[in-house]
Amino acid sequence: MKAAFVDPMGLENLKIVDLPEPQAGPGEVLVAMKAASLNFRDLLAVKGGYGSMQKQEKLIPLSDGAGEIVAVGDRVRGWKVGDRVVGTFFPDWQVGPLRFESVATDLGGRMDGVACEKRVFRQDAIVKLPDHLDYAEGASLPCAAATAWNGLVEQGKAGPGDRVLIQGTGGVSLFALQFAVMAGAEVYAISSSAEKLALMKDLGATHLVNYREDAEWGKAIQKLSKGRGVTHAVEVVGGDQLKQTLRAMSLGGYISLIGVVGGNRSELNLPVFSMGGLRMEGASAGSKASLQKLIDAMAIARVKPVLDRQRFKLADLKAALEYLASGKHIGKVIVDIA
Amino acid sequence: MKAAFVDPMGLENLKIVDLPEPQAGPGEVLVAMKAASLNFRDLLAVKGGYGSMQKQEKLIPLSDGAGEIVAVGDRVRGWKVGDRVVGTFFPDWQVGPLRFESVATDLGGRMDGVACEKRVFRQDAIVKLPDHLDYAEGASLPCAAATAWNGLVEQGKAGPGDRVLIQGTGGVSLFALQFAVMAGAEVYAISSSAEKLALMKDLGATHLVNYREDAEWGKAIQKLSKGRGVTHAVEVVGGDQLKQTLRAMSLGGYISLIGVVGGNRSELNLPVFSMGGLRMEGASAGSKASLQKLIDAMAIARVKPVLDRQRFKLADLKAALEYLASGKHIGKVIVDIA
Amino acid sequence: MKAAFVDPMGLENLKIVDLPEPQAGPGEVLVAMKAASLNFRDLLAVKGGYGSMQKQEKLIPLSDGAGEIVAVGDRVRGWKVGDRVVGTFFPDWQVGPLRFESVATDLGGRMDGVACEKRVFRQDAIVKLPDHLDYAEGASLPCAAATAWNGLVEQGKAGPGDRVLIQGTGGVSLFALQFAVMAGAEVYAISSSAEKLALMKDLGATHLVNYREDAEWGKAIQKLSKGRGVTHAVEVVGGDQLKQTLRAMSLGGYISLIGVVGGNRSELNLPVFSMGGLRMEGASAGSKASLQKLIDAMAIARVKPVLDRQRFKLADLKAALEYLASGKHIGKVIVDIA
Amino acid sequence: MKAAFVDPMGLENLKIVDLPEPQAGPGEVLVAMKAASLNFRDLLAVKGGYGSMQKQEKLIPLSDGAGEIVAVGDRVRGWKVGDRVVGTFFPDWQVGPLRFESVATDLGGRMDGVACEKRVFRQDAIVKLPDHLDYAEGASLPCAAATAWNGLVEQGKAGPGDRVLIQGTGGVSLFALQFAVMAGAEVYAISSSAEKLALMKDLGATHLVNYREDAEWGKAIQKLSKGRGVTHAVEVVGGDQLKQTLRAMSLGGYISLIGVVGGNRSELNLPVFSMGGLRMEGASAGSKASLQKLIDAMAIARVKPVLDRQRFKLADLKAALEYLASGKHIGKVIVDIA
């Protein structure tokens, strides 16, 4: 079977190779991959890892993939050939809070990923796709959507009547926007262009600020919310911008800290945080139970992910990753397989 | 001014009388009432009280009313003549959990209510109406909507991906249905007729059971939910029916116990409750902060209350209460004032 | 090796037999059992199961046992020969909330238990004993202590300043009493004799009611708490007594529903529950993470379980179970093995 | 009556003056102050305010005071002459979460404080002292103890089995240490001297690090906790030290952000926070309900505050504040009045 392979690590070493077809052992299923989606973290992983992440010597990249079960091993219960499934980001995180054991492995990071025609999954490391999502849509969920869900809904408990700040049109942000609307909250959107803000409005944002035109956007958000501030923020920027987020918050507001595209370090004004009774919590892709519930919620609300217009083939994965790096995409970048 | 008055207690003694026009003292506002809505509890109050409720000797009835501010007293901040407002159910419950002090007084119960042309409110015992709600719609909220909100959303934290059981088309149930949909949950509705189920479907329910045709409706709900059961139930029936609710629940499911139209006593199967890890919590109309957030949420989602087609005048309040008692209404029964 | 064995089900068929010594497979450890403790549920299990519990045809009984690791299989990490361990009640419940999958098997119920000289455990189904607990003390924890912990501390979040109602001197109740004191709460104890109340006082209870002398003990608790009522109750009786518990509660109080020695059915006064904003939640033995934390807490506070004075040998397990059935014990009944 | 008075603002302008004795109006009580305690924030207030705090032109300083009721106004319920009481820090914060309205006034800040022989309190802005606390001990609670309680117990829900990091021997830290022990948690203490660490050990800390000897104390805490890290930290330092706190945390750990004696600004390593699933929340003195519960908890556990050995008279308030500024005290600095 065809598979993308990096050996040694480095985007320049990413090649499509022929590998022997894997087989499902006891408790495992074999999935014919149909689509994958790209995350910024895949770029880092291909380049050799990031943060505390264990460096691999070689890797089949990508964490997010969906496909069809084509074989089931012994002792598999609840799955059958033909089932449409998506893999979980952390195979060992089934349920409950973050623990060392649960994040020790992640697809396309500390273990091989989904950029291949066939892949074996443990039967408890996949979730069924709902009818209203096709493979590409399903493949967009395990990392970005799950992180947005985990941060804003599971941990932050955003709900009806809340006011949620969404930053830009990256993968996590657009999902967070959709989840906020789905949960009955009001969305305050900031972005860098009228086009992007128009997309955010289409998805349900009702208060829009172009941060290129208004560097003091935290103040603008306060004004738009009539001095109440937002009850929740999904922070994907970090760096210097965090101080604007703090300014935009209501008393007791909740910041879901997810990404740091604007820089790994922020200077935090502690009295503002402390006297405001603010709350901040780190979020990651979460458990299988969390992914299952997010998929249930999308099925109930008939919500579909936003996919970038440009689609790639597995053979063009390198180009796809370079496209992601360019920042020209809006919505998830999809790689169709087979 | 005209006011409804019961003296001595008893529905037969309800009359329309002329009372001196009240005046707003310091920290108070005078409101020209425009509409009121009826709750089953008003019938009990007019008949002389219920439960631990302190019996009055005479009473201006009704808890739920909306109107326009026509005068403001000294030391009033944040309100002006012309503001459209709705009164809170418990004037002394501003924020936070249930306490003795906060439920010691309630409009149309242990203090005079809103069935009158003008009424003085403490400035912290009213909430502003949003633009999308007229007076009648606003008047429908303080008791039934606030209780449904408090039980299902504030306490029960129903959200996206949850499955919520709604029982029938009473005031609390229809609001709970709307809030469940607003919060991204899936609604399992039971009712006694195809017409009522059709209304519930229009409001967003997707799974319907006619309990007259299926006495074992708990089992039916389990089946419709593919053996998972509902994560939340808004219990307004009680009595013998509670055992069906228990049967309909998922493991760890949450029952918001609100009403008891089916009887004050239930026989509870304790092992089912215990081994299922079920949760049950009593709910009441809640605080002003809770009412404010529910109104925020309705404004965000542009949701309007369901009002019964038949409307009454203040002069016909007695007939209105008898109509409520007949059970023929669907949605809130409104009394227009002035 | 020697093992207790029931075949076919029935206490009268409980015998000590010779079974082949088991061996630790990959990911498993072999434990030389040193002590076991008895729970009422073991009596039911030996008699053929209870509730929805799957009936076995034959069984090594008992869920609660501690011992020393004498061999480790392949791929075992973190355990070595000589480690002192206790088994978890539900081997498949590692962490997180109650789910069908997690309670599908339980030791001495739907799978063989610990009443034997050697037993194989999955490496993730045991917890290390702290230094301050011997084998008998450790063996007392998996069912009764874990259930009390899960109900009162994990779910009920009893803490400093709370007032907790404890009913009698059964296994769950004494642990709950100790955990309440450990958490900084005030204990209101009811029991049937001065002797038992004296023991409860020794363990830290400060308010005592003999319910044989005061059938309206709910009222007595209200009085002792100066009309505030208890914030938490650990309900192990059920039946008719639940109404006294309800009477003893504060507004918004939390009832952890665990046992039903007083009857499987209770008549519930719904308005009292609803208007009081009461909360009730079922509790079971919980996850391995929960047991681990309870053991951490006992180590920090240097708390030891209360063991009954009478001790039994494995050969006398039948007599031990009959002794348990007699109700003459106070604290956990221990069976020493080897 | 004698009162301390600052006019205009500035420590150098603090004088003892004679003021007319105040009188209790309706709903108010007159309290003969017996003792007050000092907080660092009083120094800032006397110097002219801090942060967003509204500057006063003149002020009776100090927030924390206890005394005896000597007169009650009309419409006062539940209080009588002779009652021993302590005032709340925010008179308008009765219950529930932080809101603008609730923190608009604070004693000795935006309104006159307690450094006087007699003071009028609203009847809902005082709490009864328990028998086991004298006036000086009671006077130590409203600011420092309440903030520690609110941060660690109410918001952070520290409980049995948790591991709590306490920084130094300031007022908030020593209370937090006592509350952690009271709640059944294990205390990891850092301080600058063996003497201070010895005091912390006496209060119940079991793991001690001298941060002057080990600048990488975050790592030391990790080691002492066997690589698990602390589940809770009470952050009173801020500045550069916050990075050590982050290093000391367990996955999902909770930081209660209270003080910033080490600097108002911290550089935050966002990926460490995010991937660790860390949580941080600002804390302030909280509501009257929170103070009441903390006092209940101290009464149950018979815990007494740590008071500095040196005691001052009202006439020496200036010297007392200078002593506080010197940092030589350990425990709360008390000013005896009358």
Side-chain angles (χ1 to χ4, degrees):
Chain A
M1 64 158 195
K2 302 287 181 194
F5 203 63
V6 194
D7 178 14
M9 301 310 287
L11 181 53
E12 67 282 7
N13 301 321
L14 173 61
K15 296 200 184 68
I16 304 299
V17 300
D18 262 304
L19 292 181
E21 185 159 308
Q23 286 198 303
E28 296 177 337
V29 299
L30 181 64
V31 175
M33 304 310 300
K34 301 293 187 180
S37 81
L38 305 187
N39 295 286
F40 198 71
R41 140 298 171 199
D42 294 319
L43 263 174
L44 302 176
V46 164
K47 289 174 179 173
Y50 59 98
S52 63
M53 195 175 157
Q54 184 191 322
K55 273 66 173 176
Q56 304 294 324
E57 298 196 349
K58 50 193 181 180
L59 186 72
I60 297 178
L62 304 194
S63 60
D64 294 8
E68 182 187 346
I69 293 181
V70 292
V72 299
D74 291 342
R75 299 205 300 267
V76 166
R77 290 188 307 180
W79 297 112
K80 63 179 192 303
V81 170
D83 281 349
R84 301 163 67 245
V85 299
V86 56
T88 60
F89 187 85
F90 295 117
D92 292 329
W93 195 349
Q94 294 291 313
V95 67
L98 177 63
R99 301 188 302 162
F100 284 117
E101 310 87 285
S102 51
V103 295
T105 54
D106 51 346
L107 273 60
R110 274 155 294 185
M111 69 190 299
D112 280 336
V114 301
C116 52
E117 291 179 335
K118 290 201 178 138
R119 191 184 187 283
V120 164
F121 289 85
R122 240 174 40 216
Q123 66 176 326
D124 60 0
I126 49 177
V127 170
K128 199 168 184 181
L129 283 185
D131 293 343
H132 85 296
L133 295 183
D134 66 24
Y135 287 115
E137 290 159 347
S140 73
L141 304 176
C143 181
T147 302
W149 173 267
N150 207 30
L152 186 62
V153 183
E154 295 273 328
Q155 298 182 345
K157 303 206 185 310
D162 285 324
R163 301 178 293 281
V164 179
L165 172 67
I166 302 291
Q167 303 169 334
T169 56
V172 168
S173 292
L174 290 186
F175 280 115
L177 197 171
Q178 293 179 297
F179 297 151
V181 172
M182 188 192 285
E186 188 170 49
V187 174
Y188 291 73
I190 62 165
S191 195
S192 58
S193 75
E195 290 73 20
K196 289 180 176 174
L197 287 168
L199 167 64
M200 296 173 88
K201 193 178 174 190
D202 283 349
L203 292 173
T206 50
H207 298 77
L208 311 173
V209 176
N210 185 326
Y211 64 78
R212 290 221 192 279
E213 295 171 0
D214 190 350
E216 296 287 309
W217 57 262
K219 218 168 159 182
I221 296 289
Q222 280 290 351
K223 202 171 166 189
L224 284 173
S225 62
K226 297 175 188 166
R228 297 178 300 170
V230 292
T231 59
H232 294 74
V234 179
E235 181 66 47
V236 298
V237 178
D240 284 348
Q241 293 297 301
L242 183 58
K243 82 174 58 129
Q244 292 299 323
T245 301
L246 257 63
R247 192 165 295 176
M249 302 305 295
S250 74
L251 287 178
Y254 178 90
I255 301 168
S256 181
L257 181 61
I258 290 179
V260 291
V261 301
N264 279 348
R265 311 271 164 167
S266 283
E267 191 192 73
L268 198 64
N269 184 322
L270 299 176
V272 165
F273 195 99
S274 171
M275 289 184 189
L278 298 184
R279 297 175 290 148
M280 185 161 72
E281 182 169 9
S284 56
S287 67
K288 186 181 79 161
S290 179
L291 178 64
Q292 177 67 66
K293 190 148 191 187
L294 122 68
I295 285 178
D296 287 351
M298 294 186 80
I300 291 169
R302 297 280 148 186
V303 166
K304 281 171 169 267
V306 179
L307 307 185
D308 187 64
R309 288 186 201 162
Q310 191 149 349
R311 297 277 278 257
F312 295 84
K313 301 281 179 198
L314 179 57
D316 305 319
L317 178 55
K318 197 169 155 188
L321 284 164
E322 287 163 346
Y323 176 68
L324 182 79
S326 76
K328 290 179 191 155
H329 61 290
I330 290 185
K332 297 295 291 178
V333 177
I334 298 294
V335 174
D336 294 296
I337 305 177
Chain B
M1 66 158 193
K2 302 286 181 197
F5 203 62
V6 193
D7 179 13
M9 302 310 287
L11 182 52
E12 65 283 8
N13 301 320
L14 174 61
K15 297 199 184 66
I16 305 299
V17 300
D18 261 303
L19 293 180
E21 185 159 310
Q23 286 198 303
E28 296 177 337
V29 299
L30 180 64
V31 175
M33 304 309 302
K34 301 292 188 181
S37 81
L38 305 187
N39 294 287
F40 197 71
R41 139 300 172 199
D42 294 317
L43 263 174
L44 302 177
V46 164
K47 289 175 181 173
Y50 58 98
S52 63
M53 195 175 159
Q54 186 191 320
K55 273 68 175 176
Q56 305 295 323
E57 299 196 349
K58 49 193 180 180
L59 186 72
I60 298 180
L62 303 193
S63 59
D64 294 8
E68 182 185 346
I69 293 181
V70 291
V72 299
D74 290 342
R75 297 206 300 269
V76 165
R77 291 186 308 179
W79 297 112
K80 62 178 193 305
V81 169
D83 282 348
R84 301 163 67 246
V85 300
V86 57
T88 59
F89 187 86
F90 295 116
D92 291 329
W93 194 350
Q94 294 292 311
V95 67
L98 176 63
R99 302 188 301 163
F100 284 117
E101 310 87 286
S102 50
V103 296
T105 54
D106 51 346
L107 273 59
R110 275 155 293 186
M111 68 190 302
D112 279 337
V114 302
C116 51
E117 290 179 336
K118 290 203 178 136
R119 190 184 188 283
V120 164
F121 289 85
R122 241 175 38 217
Q123 65 175 327
D124 60 359
I126 48 176
V127 171
K128 199 169 186 181
L129 283 185
D131 294 342
H132 86 295
L133 295 183
D134 66 24
Y135 287 115
E137 289 158 349
S140 72
L141 304 176
C143 181
T147 303
W149 173 267
N150 208 30
L152 186 61
V153 183
E154 294 275 326
Q155 298 182 346
K157 301 202 188 314
D162 284 325
R163 299 179 293 280
V164 179
L165 172 67
I166 302 292
Q167 303 169 335
T169 56
V172 169
S173 291
L174 289 186
F175 279 115
L177 196 171
Q178 292 179 299
F179 297 152
V181 171
M182 188 192 285
E186 187 170 49
V187 174
Y188 291 72
I190 63 165
S191 195
S192 59
S193 76
E195 290 72 22
K196 290 181 176 175
L197 288 169
L199 166 64
M200 296 174 86
K201 192 178 174 189
D202 282 349
L203 291 173
T206 51
H207 297 77
L208 312 172
V209 176
N210 185 326
Y211 64 77
R212 290 223 191 278
E213 295 171 1
D214 190 350
E216 296 287 310
W217 56 262
K219 217 167 159 183
I221 296 291
Q222 280 290 351
K223 202 171 166 188
L224 285 172
S225 63
K226 297 176 188 165
R228 296 179 301 170
V230 292
T231 59
H232 294 72
V234 179
E235 181 67 45
V236 297
V237 179
D240 284 348
Q241 294 296 303
L242 184 58
K243 83 174 59 130
Q244 293 299 323
T245 301
L246 258 61
R247 193 165 294 176
M249 302 305 295
S250 74
L251 287 178
Y254 178 90
I255 301 168
S256 181
L257 181 61
I258 291 179
V260 291
V261 301
N264 278 349
R265 310 271 164 166
S266 282
E267 191 191 74
L268 198 63
N269 184 321
L270 300 176
V272 165
F273 195 99
S274 172
M275 288 184 189
L278 297 184
R279 296 176 291 148
M280 184 160 74
E281 183 169 9
S284 56
S287 68
K288 186 180 79 161
S290 178
L291 178 64
Q292 178 66 66
K293 189 147 193 188
L294 122 69
I295 286 179
D296 287 350
M298 292 186 82
I300 292 169
R302 297 281 149 184
V303 165
K304 284 171 168 267
V306 178
L307 306 185
D308 187 63
R309 289 185 201 164
Q310 191 150 348
R311 297 277 276 258
F312 295 84
K313 301 279 179 201
L314 179 57
D316 305 320
L317 178 55
K318 196 167 152 189
L321 284 164
E322 287 164 346
Y323 177 66
L324 182 79
S326 76
K328 289 180 190 155
H329 61 291
I330 291 185
K332 297 295 292 178
V333 176
I334 297 295
V335 174
D336 294 295
I337 306 177
Chain C
M1 63 156 196
K2 301 287 180 195
F5 203 63
V6 194
D7 179 15
M9 302 310 286
L11 182 53
E12 66 283 7
N13 301 321
L14 174 62
K15 297 198 186 67
I16 305 299
V17 301
D18 261 304
L19 292 181
E21 186 159 307
Q23 287 200 302
E28 296 177 337
V29 300
L30 181 65
V31 175
M33 304 308 302
K34 301 292 187 180
S37 81
L38 305 188
N39 294 286
F40 197 71
R41 138 300 170 199
D42 294 319
L43 263 174
L44 302 176
V46 164
K47 288 175 180 174
Y50 58 97
S52 63
M53 196 174 156
Q54 184 190 323
K55 273 66 174 175
Q56 304 294 322
E57 300 197 347
K58 49 192 181 180
L59 186 73
I60 297 178
L62 304 193
S63 60
D64 293 8
E68 182 186 346
I69 293 181
V70 291
V72 299
D74 291 342
R75 298 204 299 267
V76 166
R77 291 187 307 177
W79 297 111
K80 63 180 192 306
V81 169
D83 282 348
R84 301 162 67 246
V85 299
V86 55
T88 60
F89 187 86
F90 295 117
D92 292 329
W93 194 350
Q94 296 290 313
V95 67
L98 176 63
R99 301 188 300 164
F100 285 117
E101 310 86 286
S102 50
V103 295
T105 55
D106 50 347
L107 273 60
R110 275 155 293 186
M111 68 190 302
D112 279 337
V114 302
C116 51
E117 291 180 335
K118 291 201 177 138
R119 190 184 188 283
V120 165
F121 288 85
R122 239 171 43 214
Q123 66 175 329
D124 61 359
I126 49 177
V127 171
K128 199 169 185 180
L129 283 185
D131 293 342
H132 85 296
L133 295 183
D134 66 23
Y135 287 115
E137 290 158 349
S140 73
L141 305 175
C143 181
T147 303
W149 173 268
N150 207 31
L152 186 61
V153 183
E154 295 273 327
Q155 297 182 347
K157 302 205 188 310
D162 284 324
R163 299 179 295 280
V164 179
L165 172 68
I166 302 291
Q167 304 169 335
T169 56
V172 168
S173 292
L174 289 186
F175 279 115
L177 197 171
Q178 293 179 298
F179 296 151
V181 171
M182 188 192 284
E186 188 170 49
V187 173
Y188 291 72
I190 62 165
S191 194
S192 58
S193 75
E195 291 73 22
K196 289 181 176 175
L197 287 169
L199 167 64
M200 296 173 88
K201 193 179 174 190
D202 283 349
L203 292 173
T206 51
H207 297 76
L208 311 173
V209 177
N210 185 326
Y211 64 78
R212 290 221 191 279
E213 295 171 1
D214 191 350
E216 296 287 309
W217 57 261
K219 217 168 160 183
I221 296 290
Q222 280 290 350
K223 202 172 167 190
L224 285 172
S225 63
K226 297 174 187 167
R228 296 178 300 169
V230 292
T231 59
H232 294 74
V234 179
E235 181 67 45
V236 298
V237 178
D240 283 349
Q241 294 296 301
L242 184 57
K243 83 173 59 129
Q244 292 299 323
T245 301
L246 257 62
R247 192 165 295 177
M249 302 306 294
S250 74
L251 287 178
Y254 178 90
I255 301 167
S256 181
L257 181 62
I258 291 179
V260 291
V261 301
N264 278 348
R265 310 271 164 165
S266 283
E267 191 192 74
L268 199 63
N269 184 322
L270 299 175
V272 165
F273 194 99
S274 171
M275 289 184 189
L278 297 183
R279 296 175 290 148
M280 185 161 73
E281 182 169 9
S284 56
S287 68
K288 187 180 77 161
S290 179
L291 178 64
Q292 177 68 65
K293 191 148 192 189
L294 122 69
I295 285 179
D296 287 351
M298 293 187 83
I300 292 169
R302 298 278 150 188
V303 166
K304 282 171 169 268
V306 179
L307 306 185
D308 187 63
R309 288 188 200 159
Q310 191 150 348
R311 297 277 278 257
F312 295 84
K313 302 279 180 198
L314 178 58
D316 305 318
L317 178 56
K318 196 170 156 188
L321 285 164
E322 285 163 348
Y323 177 68
L324 182 80
S326 77
K328 289 177 191 158
H329 61 291
I330 291 185
K332 297 295 291 179
V333 177
I334 298 294
V335 174
D336 294 296
I337 305 177
Chain D
M1 64 156 195
K2 302 285 181 197
F5 202 62
V6 195
D7 178 15
M9 303 310 286
L11 181 54
E12 66 284 7
N13 301 321
L14 174 60
K15 297 199 186 67
I16 304 298
V17 300
D18 262 303
L19 292 181
E21 186 159 307
Q23 287 199 302
E28 295 177 338
V29 299
L30 180 65
V31 175
M33 305 307 302
K34 301 293 188 180
S37 81
L38 305 187
N39 295 287
F40 198 71
R41 116 344 147 186
D42 294 318
L43 264 173
L44 302 177
V46 164
K47 289 175 180 172
Y50 57 98
S52 63
M53 195 173 157
Q54 184 191 321
K55 273 67 174 176
Q56 304 294 324
E57 300 197 348
K58 49 193 180 180
L59 186 72
I60 298 179
L62 304 192
S63 59
D64 293 8
E68 183 186 346
I69 293 181
V70 291
V72 300
D74 291 342
R75 298 205 300 267
V76 166
R77 290 187 308 178
W79 297 111
K80 63 179 191 306
V81 170
D83 282 347
R84 303 163 66 245
V85 299
V86 57
T88 60
F89 187 86
F90 295 116
D92 292 330
W93 194 349
Q94 295 290 313
V95 67
L98 177 63
R99 300 188 302 162
F100 284 116
E101 310 87 285
S102 50
V103 295
T105 55
D106 49 348
L107 272 61
R110 275 155 293 186
M111 68 190 301
D112 280 337
V114 301
C116 52
E117 291 179 335
K118 292 203 177 136
R119 189 184 189 284
V120 164
F121 288 86
R122 239 174 40 216
Q123 64 175 329
D124 60 359
I126 48 176
V127 171
K128 199 169 186 181
L129 282 186
D131 294 341
H132 86 295
L133 295 183
D134 66 23
Y135 287 115
E137 290 159 348
S140 72
L141 304 176
C143 181
T147 303
W149 173 267
N150 207 29
L152 186 61
V153 183
E154 294 275 326
Q155 296 182 348
K157 302 204 187 313
D162 284 325
R163 300 179 294 280
V164 179
L165 172 67
I166 302 292
Q167 303 168 338
T169 56
V172 169
S173 292
L174 289 186
F175 279 116
L177 198 171
Q178 293 179 297
F179 297 151
V181 171
M182 188 192 284
E186 189 170 48
V187 174
Y188 292 72
I190 63 166
S191 195
S192 58
S193 75
E195 290 72 21
K196 290 181 176 174
L197 287 169
L199 167 64
M200 296 174 88
K201 192 178 174 189
D202 282 350
L203 291 173
T206 50
H207 297 78
L208 311 172
V209 177
N210 185 324
Y211 64 78
R212 290 222 191 279
E213 295 171 1
D214 191 350
E216 297 286 310
W217 56 263
K219 216 168 159 182
I221 296 290
Q222 280 289 350
K223 202 171 166 189
L224 284 172
S225 62
K226 297 176 187 166
R228 296 178 300 171
V230 293
T231 58
H232 294 73
V234 179
E235 181 69 45
V236 298
V237 178
D240 284 349
Q241 294 296 302
L242 184 57
K243 83 174 59 130
Q244 292 299 322
T245 301
L246 258 61
R247 193 166 295 177
M249 302 305 295
S250 75
L251 287 177
Y254 178 90
I255 301 168
S256 180
L257 181 61
I258 291 179
V260 292
V261 302
N264 278 348
R265 309 271 164 167
S266 283
E267 190 191 76
L268 198 65
N269 184 321
L270 299 175
V272 164
F273 195 99
S274 171
M275 288 183 189
L278 296 183
R279 296 175 291 148
M280 185 159 73
E281 182 169 10
S284 56
S287 69
K288 186 180 77 160
S290 179
L291 178 63
Q292 178 66 67
K293 190 149 192 188
L294 123 68
I295 285 179
D296 288 349
M298 293 187 83
I300 291 169
R302 298 280 149 186
V303 165
K304 282 171 168 269
V306 179
L307 306 186
D308 188 62
R309 290 185 200 164
Q310 192 150 348
R311 297 276 278 255
F312 295 84
K313 301 279 180 201
L314 179 56
D316 306 319
L317 178 55
K318 197 167 153 189
L321 285 164
E322 286 164 347
Y323 176 68
L324 182 81
S326 76
K328 289 179 191 155
H329 61 291
I330 291 185
K332 297 295 291 178
V333 177
I334 297 294
V335 174
D336 293 297
I337 305 177

